[in-house]
Amino acid sequence: MISAFSFPLVTQAASFGVGSYVNSIPEGNRGTAVSRLAEAGAQWTRLEIGYSATPDWGPPDDAVSRLRSAGINIIPLDGHHDAFSSHDTWKAWVQTLTAKYAASVQAWEIFNEADNYLSGAAYVDYIKEAHPIIKAANSGATVIVSGISARQQATAFWNGVFDAGAGGSFDALGLHPYRAGAPETKDFNTGNFVDSIKLATSSIASHGGGKSVWLTEFGWRNGSVGDADQANHLSRAFALAATVSGVETIVSYNLYDNAEGGSYGLLNGDFSKKQSFGAVQSVTGNLKGKGFSGYLDVASSTTVANFESGLSGWESKETSSGSLSLAEGSGRSGKGMVMNYSFNSASGYAVAKRLISVPGTPSGLSVWINASDTSSVWKFRIKDAAGETFQFDAGSSKAGWNQYTFDIANDKAQTSWGGNGGIDFPVSFDSIVLDNQGGSSSGSATVDDIVAITGGGDLYALKFGSTLAYWKLSGTLTSLVCGQSLQFTQTPQFATVGGCEGVTTTSAPPSTQSSTSSKTSSKTSTAKKGPVSREHSK
């Protein structure tokens, strides 16, 4: 039986949007484009107004007028760095744009993916020059740091912006978390879609907080993943992004297919609707204005280690380019294991090891970690029945208590050595690894509640007020959740639910049938009823 419960509200309601670049659309199609945006439930859209010494204001004037009449907010992208011959030219352009559109525009994004051609320190002058001009024209407007790709190196750009003293010159970090696979699956070093967003929120937290994150581009090409996966990936990504505290606005790319943008659109080139249009419309219609209140437990797990009996059997092993010591400390609940590490180079790793047998055929692993370093990656190791070692990327390090998971069946960020590359069950938990990738030379992190996911690990149930968004990564499963029989499919579904506290389900897969256990002093593997609440910060 599966238990289901919700967590306290952790985020405000995010706003949704779709990039449309209406000013670049032929005049005869602009009305259709704006109508489709409104129908999709877009609250925001993005325009690119490229620099010109002799601009044609007809298309942007028309686009802004149509969008504002439809009640859609606008994020102008203020050109590209290489278009400006001097800082004086740049400042004059910002003054021109704000003089024309300040009354109609509530957010401004300063350059596009600037980390491709500028360091954070070099970018600072541009945003420092733009910020006072924009705020003088509209003090309530949001100034957004150039959206950049979500990858581990992004932290260097953001650190450069903060360290150069530009913290007072922007309100939000822009982010473009593109990825090839499903939003729930792990990529090497950056983790899953939520992990990649938390690169930005953790960077903000490490510099004192007070800023939000705006996703101004992300998406999938149906030409690459197919119509169904484009629709499912997009709709699930919108919902997942809205779970991250600090994410204010979520804007996908793109409204329609064209030669420049490829097949990312919700619409075909003739503005007819793709499957993804209805999927995004469903998400915005069901989640608009609703703050995230928690993941429901819809998987079962087996406790691997909870540290209540101390650290007997744990040791530091195979540490490269540094040192590691282990100590008892306060965990997420009760006790935890503190990893005190120090590295003497920009790369290296620290391994905390203890072989612990895991019964059955677990489908994933999960651990809670309280970290301060945001430039490293956490990894799991297991050893199979044939003695082969497998290493799984659990995701990039994030500030505070966060849960890191790896789905063995669906995540691809894994390597192995000493065998044939296939997992032979039963397995043993081997170790947890901190892979240093240019982060702090020394620090500490606390580990708690390592568990093996034993069933339903690819079920997702996200609660937004009284609305439940739910889906399954592959296949289908009907289960009783919050008193309702719900069918989990790859396409997000929505249901109105109550508080869900104490509700149990009876139609779980056989592998999830287990007895309840709480955190005790036992150091052996114990069955635990209820799933892992993925990615929920304490």
Side-chain angles (χ1 to χ4, degrees):
M1 300 175 70
I2 303 174
S3 66
F5 58 92
S6 61
F7 295 90
L9 180 69
V10 295
T11 66
Q12 65 180 19
S15 297
F16 301 111
V18 179
S20 64
Y21 313 94
V22 173
N23 54 308
S24 66
I25 297 173
E27 184 177 0
N29 292 324
R30 286 178 201 151
T32 301
V34 173
S35 177
R36 290 283 192 261
L37 277 174
E39 188 180 353
Q43 297 161 281
W44 288 86
T45 195
R46 196 174 184 232
L47 301 181
E48 182 173 357
I49 306 177
Y51 170 74
S52 172
T54 57
D56 176 6
W57 295 113
D61 284 354
D62 183 43
V64 169
S65 175
R66 290 176 185 271
L67 290 165
R68 294 309 299 137
S69 294
I72 298 170
N73 297 302
I74 302 163
I75 309 168
L77 172 61
D78 290 0
H80 294 265
H81 160 261
D82 56 6
F84 301 99
S85 58
S86 69
H87 283 274
D88 286 341
T89 304
W90 160 245
K91 287 188 289 185
W93 178 243
V94 176
Q95 288 169 336
T96 298
L97 287 179
T98 54
K100 282 189 66 65
Y101 300 126
S104 302
V105 168
Q106 294 300 316
W108 300 83
E109 187 173 359
I110 309 305
F111 297 158
N112 185 62
E113 298 181 357
D115 61 321
N116 289 329
Y117 44 84
L118 290 172
S119 67
Y123 171 81
V124 161
D125 286 343
Y126 293 95
I127 198 161
K128 280 186 171 181
E129 289 159 351
H131 181 267
I133 297 171
I134 292 169
K135 292 293 187 177
N138 181 354
S139 61
T142 299
V143 178
I144 308 168
V145 168
S146 169
I148 64 175
S149 300
R151 61 193 190 283
Q152 195 67 13
Q153 297 89 332
T155 57
F157 180 85
W158 295 322
N159 287 341
V161 172
F162 280 110
D163 294 345
S169 296
F170 66 91
D171 306 296
L173 291 183
L175 192 65
H176 297 173
Y178 286 100
R179 54 195 306 107
E184 301 85 356
T185 57
K186 303 282 185 185
D187 285 346
F188 280 108
N189 297 329
T190 55
N192 60 25
F193 187 71
V194 167
D195 290 328
S196 64
I197 297 170
K198 286 188 174 181
L199 283 174
T201 58
S202 292
S203 180
I204 290 167
S206 70
H207 290 91
K211 311 293 181 184
S212 61
V213 173
W214 286 48
L215 277 60
T216 54
E217 282 188 32
F218 70 95
W220 287 263
R221 291 193 284 268
N222 68 304
S224 299
V225 301
D227 290 343
D229 276 351
Q230 183 194 41
N232 291 332
H233 292 358
L234 266 176
S235 54
R236 289 170 1 207
F238 269 104
L240 287 166
T243 71
V244 182
S245 181
V247 170
E248 187 171 345
T249 304
I250 306 164
V251 179
S252 71
Y253 182 87
N254 187 17
L255 178 64
Y256 74 108
D257 292 352
N258 55 55
E260 181 178 356
S263 61
Y264 283 100
L266 305 185
L267 306 172
N268 294 300
D270 62 0
F271 294 91
S272 62
K273 299 173 184 176
K274 295 185 189 177
Q275 188 174 340
S276 56
F277 182 92
V280 169
Q281 183 185 47
S282 179
V283 170
T284 59
N286 281 283
L287 301 186
K288 189 182 297 183
K290 299 173 183 176
F292 174 64
S293 49
Y295 285 87
L296 301 189
D297 279 350
V298 286
S300 292
S301 61
T302 297
T303 299
V304 173
N306 56 28
F307 306 104
E308 292 305 288
S309 304
L311 304 184
S312 176
W314 285 90
E315 54 185 336
S316 58
K317 283 283 189 180
E318 305 169 23
T319 299
S320 170
S321 300
S323 62
L324 172 70
S325 64
L326 306 178
E328 291 187 32
S330 297
R332 178 171 166 263
S333 60
K335 296 179 181 179
M337 178 176 69
V338 180
M339 299 175 61
N340 297 299
Y341 55 88
S342 179
F343 296 103
N344 53 35
S345 70
S347 62
Y349 55 87
V351 181
K353 180 182 180 70
R354 184 190 174 192
L355 276 175
I356 306 172
S357 297
V358 180
T361 55
S363 61
L365 293 167
S366 172
V367 64
W368 284 86
I369 300 174
N370 184 4
S372 56
D373 173 37
T374 59
S375 299
S376 298
V377 176
W378 289 99
K379 304 185 178 187
F380 298 108
R381 288 179 185 171
I382 64 169
K383 196 173 291 290
D384 75 357
E388 183 174 4
T389 300
F390 290 82
Q391 180 167 279
F392 308 130
D393 267 34
S396 55
S397 186
K398 301 176 283 289
W401 279 109
N402 284 275
Q403 192 170 35
Y404 299 78
T405 65
F406 188 87
D407 183 332
I408 293 172
N410 295 293
D411 289 330
K412 307 303 181 186
Q414 61 178 282
T415 55
S416 67
W417 55 90
N420 60 13
I423 299 176
D424 298 303
F425 292 96
V427 300
S428 295
F429 176 85
D430 182 88
S431 51
I432 187 164
V433 181
L434 176 65
D435 187 0
N436 181 47
Q437 298 188 1
S440 302
S441 59
S442 62
S444 65
T446 303
V447 176
D448 200 2
D449 292 330
I450 303 174
V451 302
I453 302 168
T454 55
D458 69 341
L459 299 178
Y460 287 74
L462 289 58
K463 197 162 181 288
F464 295 83
S466 61
T467 296
L468 185 70
Y470 59 97
W471 65 86
K472 193 176 188 297
L473 245 57
S474 61
T476 62
L477 175 70
T478 299
S479 187
L480 189 66
V481 179
C482 299
Q484 298 185 47
S485 180
L486 303 176
Q487 185 178 46
F488 287 74
T489 70
Q490 295 175 65
T491 299
Q493 306 294 315
F494 301 90
T496 301
V497 297
C500 304
E501 289 82 359
V503 177
T504 61
T505 68
T506 57
S507 55
S511 63
T512 67
Q513 303 297 324
S514 59
S515 59
T516 304
S517 72
S518 59
K519 188 168 183 178
T520 67
S521 61
S522 172
K523 294 308 293 181
T524 59
S525 297
T526 57
K528 180 180 178 182
K529 184 169 90 174
V532 180
S533 58
R534 218 176 345 261
E535 303 300 344
H536 179 84
S537 298
K538 187 176 181 182

